[in-house]
Amino acid sequence: RALRGGRSSGGAGSGGGAAMDLFGDLRRMNKRQLYYQVLNFAMIVSSALMIWKGLIVVTGSESPIVVVLSGSMEPAFHRGDLLFLTNFHDDPIRAGEIVVFKVEGRDIPIVHRVIKVHEKGNGNIKFLTKGDNNEVDDRGLYKEGQNWLEKKDVVGRARGFLPYVGMVTIIMNDYPKFKYALLAVMGAYVLLKRES
């Protein structure tokens, strides 16, 4: 029986065969197809960037979505929970709110609860935070000599969350090789995907 398209649909091949097929597909593409696939990939990346920038504008937060990286806020939030943040400067910070803040000298923002607020007559607000699962407040985490946070330190305030959705991010941070392999597979898929 003749095979359509000149290829058989045989059983599973070896892992090396799959890699050879990938490079074979790349060689068989003409320049026009390759340019089209590269442009397609660039559009996906730029669309994701535009959505992210749009979320920044709508929420007022420089990081509208963050992943909880530690268990310091259990049982309210667990490691891997995805938090949605807003940061509207008109809203006053109140005790009991969960805020994400940056401390000078630390790259990764911290998610903790506001436990005390000092509001002065001129409108300046200073506040103290603590993790629900921690024994002591966060003064030990702040920069040396800093006893209170100010509004400028706040990245956002938690408005909602999805449980454990951020575990993929944690796995990619803990195992960088997995991250690069996943990115390579996604890039190859987009580049080699044919329009039907």
Side-chain angles (χ1 to χ4, degrees):
R1 227 177 192 201
L3 295 173
R4 292 178 192 218
R7 284 190 185 177
S8 68
S9 57
S14 67
M20 295 307 289
D21 283 349
L22 183 76
F23 292 116
D25 281 351
L26 268 176
R27 276 193 296 256
R28 282 191 288 278
M29 274 188 183
N30 65 35
K31 284 184 181 178
R32 183 179 222 158
Q33 284 176 314
L34 188 61
Y35 291 149
Y36 173 78
Q37 297 303 76
V38 168
L39 278 173
N40 195 16
F41 183 71
M43 281 184 54
I44 290 169
V45 170
S46 60
S47 295
L49 267 172
M50 287 190 313
I51 290 169
W52 183 254
K53 292 293 184 185
L55 281 173
I56 289 172
V57 170
V58 169
T59 62
S61 173
E62 65 186 69
S63 267
I65 300 171
V66 295
V67 175
V68 178
L69 298 177
S70 75
S72 65
M73 277 302 292
E74 290 178 1
F77 298 123
H78 296 275
R79 192 168 190 253
D81 287 355
L82 195 70
L83 299 183
F84 301 101
L85 310 178
T86 62
N87 194 21
F88 302 118
H89 292 286
D90 298 340
D91 292 346
I93 291 175
R94 297 290 177 229
E97 271 191 299
I98 295 170
V99 296
V100 178
F101 60 93
K102 274 189 179 174
V103 175
E104 195 176 308
R106 291 179 180 261
D107 295 334
I108 299 173
I110 299 167
V111 180
H112 280 174
R113 190 180 302 277
V114 175
I115 57 169
K116 287 184 185 174
V117 176
H118 285 287
E119 196 166 351
K120 296 185 178 177
N122 63 1
N124 281 353
I125 294 176
K126 292 189 175 189
F127 56 95
L128 180 65
T129 55
K130 176 185 171 295
D132 290 357
N133 202 21
N134 293 349
E135 295 291 322
V136 295
D137 62 43
D138 291 342
R139 285 195 171 119
L141 299 175
Y142 303 161
K143 72 178 181 180
E144 196 175 330
Q146 183 180 11
N147 290 322
W148 302 91
L149 291 175
E150 297 177 31
K151 257 191 156 175
K152 65 178 177 57
D153 300 313
V154 175
V155 174
R157 304 179 214 187
R159 299 299 184 201
F161 77 103
L162 286 174
Y164 303 111
V165 174
M167 284 307 289
V168 175
T169 303
I170 291 175
I171 291 167
M172 288 196 299
N173 283 337
D174 291 349
Y175 304 100
K177 288 180 182 176
F178 174 75
K179 173 170 61 177
Y180 297 127
L182 186 65
L183 289 171
V185 167
M186 288 170 60
Y189 172 76
V190 171
L191 285 173
L192 297 175
K193 186 182 77 168
R194 305 276 174 104
E195 293 296 317
S196 42

